[in-house]
Amino acid sequence: MPEILISEYLLRRLKQIGIDTIFGVPGDYELALLDQVEPQGLSWIGTPNELVGAYAADGYARIKGAGALVTTFGPGELSAICGIGGSYCENVPVVHIVGYPPNPLQKTGKILHHTIGDGSFDHYHKISAEISCATTVLTDPATSAAEIDRVLNAMLHYSKPIYIGISEDIVFSKVSDEYLSTPLIHTLAPSVPESEAVAVAEIIKALESATSPILMVDGGAAPPNWAKYVDPLVEALKIPFFVTTMGKGIANEGSPYYKGGWSGAGSWPTSVIPGVENADCILWLGNYPSDFNTGIFTGNTSGANIIDLQRFSVKVGTTEFDARINHVMPKLVEAFESHPPLAEYAVEAIPPITLTTPENIEHDWLWDRLSTFIRAGDLVITETGTAQAGILQTRFASGAHGWTQAIYGSIGYATAAAAGASIASKETNAHTRVVLITGEGSLQLTVQALSLLDRFGVPPVVLVLNNKGYTVERFFRGWTAGYNDVANWDYVGLAKAFAPETEVRGWKAATAAELEALFVDEAFNNAPCARVVDMVMGVDDGPTNLRTMFVAKAKKAGS
């Protein structure tokens, strides 16, 4: 019976679930595994540090359906743990593979490098277990294949990260290749048919009896599993739909049924607020009522019958059913394609964009202007903070998609995630351009990720919001607090310095007219290389919807 190395088994399993690129930083405990990566047909992308690698794997996974990161035991895995935490929080399936010291050496109890010096080797595993849906440390060749399959199946089932520890002696152990013929579980198992049928019937009944039904596109149910059904559902229902911060970039915003972004008091346009709050029935896809996703809890949907579709359950009002969002949605599409029209609910249309170029690059002008800059085929990655609020104002072109890390909110995420996403986009031909929108404070945390952009993926456009500090924190604690300031870096110069062997073009725009000139320049828009724009903005400027959100929060706290 043919045998293969366990390392080969693991890597071939990654290929089977659609992973073609592995990110990470080499370390002595993992080198034996890394030697097998390219022979098994996978690409290795070495990242400047493990945190960048974790964010890149997250961005890659959101396009490909899963991502992988390899780090060494101890310092390497701990450096990545912030990124893995974000993936866990936001339902992103990432395989974190950790190279362990050889098992015979561990058993001696000797103090080894990368440990904390107490002769124990399970501390880091325990930490990672808190932010993984399944973990394993391979110690027995006889069970290693089964353990690998167990945790990979858990990752695909729960859409969350997993942890695999593998030592050099296990890397070179062998297993029968017949195990590879057992398929991994790529899709959610069907729910109880009777329960699902009742859930669909109850949803139809609730929508039919409503006088002001709407659809809310949110992100809480892991979008890759159901996003393909959103636009067909919108066309079948023919009712107004809105997106949350987490849902931004999933649905076609060129649809006549699209009415804007809902974020409580921070909604855009303001007509969204009565449009949502006066609805008597909300079909909510992946409801995730977190603070920033609801405008810091300033929204009010208490008057509506909420139909909440989640990964493992469907709730109609207060009744919960054993059903799955990705199974229920196509059934709803089928049911409503030939269904008589639902009650017409008039929600004010999104106002047309009328721009007057100001002297300075102002937030409200910028976010409107980006509506015509973003084009079909773009992937838009938006950083936590100011950009996350402002992007609700931007209307994506049909065929443009994107996301922001709306819950975990780790600044610095977007730059590295954009690098991973650009590589996945190239592998899938899913997007022709990546647009990264980040603040200068966030960029400083993971600026080394600029060394990856455009070296391996599709050409990016990096737009840096540069107002010398942390805008959202200024809203929290005043505009003059010194701790909100950041050092003024030469972002264009850094982008070129981090990628000296590839072409990088950069500009510094100090006025709105200078930025406008770039946005209409065909050479800029179609350049086959990375483009970085340092946009100088006012220290005390911010998106109107962000200001409104904090004012409403303050009033609510004082009432």
Side-chain angles (χ1 to χ4, degrees), residues 394-432:
T394 302
R395 186 169 183 176
F396 286 6
S398 298
H401 298 282
W403 71 82
T404 181
Q405 197 189 58
I407 310 167
Y408 195 63
S410 179
I411 63 171
Y413 162 83
T415 303
S422 73
I423 294 166
S425 295
K426 187 173 183 178
E427 292 177 358
T428 58
N429 295 314
H431 302 284
T432 55

Side-chain angles (χ1 to χ4, degrees), residues 318-388:
T318 58
T319 304
E320 188 168 338
F321 299 92
D322 178 12
R324 315 277 190 262
I325 184 172
N326 61 327
H327 294 154
V328 168
M329 285 182 66
K331 289 181 171 58
L332 291 177
V333 172
E334 182 180 2
F336 282 98
E337 279 179 333
S338 58
H339 192 280
L342 295 170
E344 290 190 10
Y345 176 41
V347 176
E348 189 175 329
I350 295 176
I353 297 173
T354 55
L355 289 174
T356 301
T357 305
E359 179 179 353
N360 299 316
I361 302 174
E362 298 173 355
H363 274 277
D364 287 340
W365 170 81
L366 173 65
W367 300 111
D368 274 340
R369 182 61 183 83
L370 288 175
S371 296
T372 50
F373 174 73
I374 293 170
R375 62 194 187 193
D378 280 355
L379 178 68
V380 184
I381 313 296
T382 311
E383 183 59 272
T384 287
T386 309
Q388 195 172 78

